[in-house]
């Protein structure tokens, strides 16, 4: 979403797109229900930890490493093949995202660089910074036109300005735009999907919609499937009101499915089965 020539709060207008208000309200009600669960009052730390694990598994699945939850839970070494490294990166991001909130509000570009550093876990000079002219991008599951480095730089600055200035847009809208824009730009040489979903998580936590990080949207995206995810992303890339609204609705549905996952965890804990 280009912010060139934009109004002071370009995200706010997206909230009035057809169907978006309904998605926002549906998500808010779903989140309120899980936060109102009696288990959340006593064992929220456990729910947060489980949501982080399940969210990481879902994000890794969207990036091509579709492991069973118990395999993710059991494994301790993620330094092996490419899939293991993707899962390891997703777990590291899920664990650290909530720790970056104070920096995010002041310097979102610094946080995005940190997220890439965490995901890639490499020491090359291309790690932890936006890609430069001529650098290739390893993101085989997203086959979309790739903006050049100059456009990436300008649009990242626009995103950062929006975060720092603040917005009256609903948290779902802001999170969906952050997620979609990072997938569209693919600003790093690798792991852009993992970074985009971690950035969405930071927005949802920092906005106050999901302050305890118990609504893992990544679970929902994985459940809805990669094909549906990419089709919704095409709508975002189109920039049309219908396409943008469809992407925001898709993100909202993913959050609701994440809520359902954590509600099931709450119920299992209540029964003493987990």
């Amino acid at each position: 979403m280009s912010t060139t020539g934009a109004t002071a709060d370009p995200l706010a207008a997206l909230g009035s797109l057809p169907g978006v208000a309904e998605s926002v309200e549906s998500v808010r009600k779903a989140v309120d229900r899980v936060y109102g669960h009696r288990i959340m009052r006593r064992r929220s730390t456990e729910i947060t930890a489980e949501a982080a694990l399940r969210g990481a598994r879902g994000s890794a699945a969207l990036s091509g490493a579709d492991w069973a939850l118990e395999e993710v839970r059991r494994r301790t070494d993620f330094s092996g093949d490419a899939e293991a490294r993707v899962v390891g990166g997703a777990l590291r991001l899920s664990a650290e995202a909530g720790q970056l909130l104070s920096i995010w509000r002041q310097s979102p570009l610094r946080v995005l660089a940190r997220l890439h550093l965490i995901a890639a876990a490499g020491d090359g000079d291309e790690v932890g910074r936006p890609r430069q002219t001529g650098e290739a991008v390893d993101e085989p599951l997203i086959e979309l036109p790739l903006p050049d480095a100059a456009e990436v730089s300008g649009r990242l600055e626009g995103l950062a300005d929006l975060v720092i200035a603040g917005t009256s847009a609903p948290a779902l809208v802001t999170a969906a735009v952050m997620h979609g824009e990072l997938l569209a730009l693919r600003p790093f040489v690798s792991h852009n999907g993992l970074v985009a979903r971690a950035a969405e998580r930071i927005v949802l936590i920092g906005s106050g919609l999901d302050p305890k990080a118990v609504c893992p949207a990544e679970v929902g995206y994985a459940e809805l499937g990669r094909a549906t995810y990419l089709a919704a992303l095409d709508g975002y890339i189109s920039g049309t009101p219908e396409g943008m609204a469809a992407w925001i609705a898709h993100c909202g549905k993913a959050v609701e499915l994440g809520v359902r996952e954590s509600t099931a965890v709450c119920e299992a804990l209540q029964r003493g089965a987990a």
Side-chain angles (χ1 to χ4, degrees):
M1 187 186 80
S2 175
T3 59
T4 303
T7 61
D9 191 357
L11 296 181
L14 297 177
S16 63
L17 292 175
V20 169
E22 291 81 357
S23 292
V24 168
E25 181 65 11
S26 182
V27 166
R28 186 191 64 78
K29 288 181 178 178
V31 173
D32 285 349
R33 283 195 297 272
V34 73
Y35 271 83
H37 198 287
R38 65 174 61 186
I39 287 293
M40 279 293 295
R41 292 194 292 270
R42 295 184 288 110
R43 302 176 71 176
S44 64
T45 302
E46 293 172 72
I47 308 303
T48 297
E50 191 64 21
L53 180 72
R54 295 177 185 226
R57 193 217 73 82
S59 190
L62 287 168
S63 288
D66 192 0
W67 289 14
L69 179 63
E70 290 311 313
E71 175 65 12
V72 178
R73 196 189 303 279
R74 180 192 66 81
R75 186 76 71 96
T76 57
D77 181 8
F78 296 95
S79 62
D81 59 18
E83 283 197 6
R85 291 193 294 273
V86 167
V87 175
L91 286 167
R92 291 190 298 273
L93 287 172
S94 197
E96 187 148 346
Q99 309 303 313
L100 298 170
L101 286 175
S102 60
I103 304 172
W104 175 260
R105 297 184 183 104
Q106 300 173 15
S107 183
L109 296 185
R110 181 179 163 195
V111 170
L112 291 175
R114 173 65 180 165
L115 292 176
H116 185 247
L117 188 66
I118 293 167
D123 55 6
D125 64 3
E126 76 282 1
V127 175
R129 62 153 174 82
R131 57 186 167 85
Q132 299 175 355
T133 300
E135 289 182 329
V137 174
D138 180 14
E139 206 75 41
L141 301 178
I142 301 177
E143 298 176 356
L144 294 168
L146 192 67
D148 63 28
E151 182 178 352
V152 167
S153 178
R155 287 169 67 176
L156 283 177
E157 289 289 346
L159 271 181
D161 290 345
L162 289 173
V163 172
I164 294 168
T167 177
S168 62
L172 173 64
V173 172
T174 305
V177 168
M178 181 62 63
H179 184 172
E181 191 73 354
L182 291 173
L183 288 179
L185 294 176
R186 279 145 293 158
F188 302 105
V189 297
S190 64
H191 299 89
N192 290 286
L194 294 182
V195 169
R197 291 183 288 274
E200 179 187 63
R201 172 180 282 259
I202 289 172
V203 173
L204 293 173
I205 297 169
S207 67
L209 178 66
D210 182 22
K212 295 183 183 294
V214 297
C215 307
E218 305 95 328
V219 169
Y221 293 124
E223 183 173 337
L224 292 167
R226 191 182 303 146
T228 304
Y229 183 68
L230 295 177
L233 178 61
D234 283 342
Y236 179 86
I237 299 294
S238 75
T240 64
E242 297 80 10
M244 295 290 286
W247 170 249
I248 294 168
H250 181 71
C251 294
K253 181 63 174 175
V255 174
E256 291 188 60
L257 290 170
V259 167
R260 187 179 72 180
E261 187 86 354
S262 286
T263 300
V265 172
C266 288
E267 294 295 331
L269 288 172
Q270 187 166 280
R271 293 191 305 269

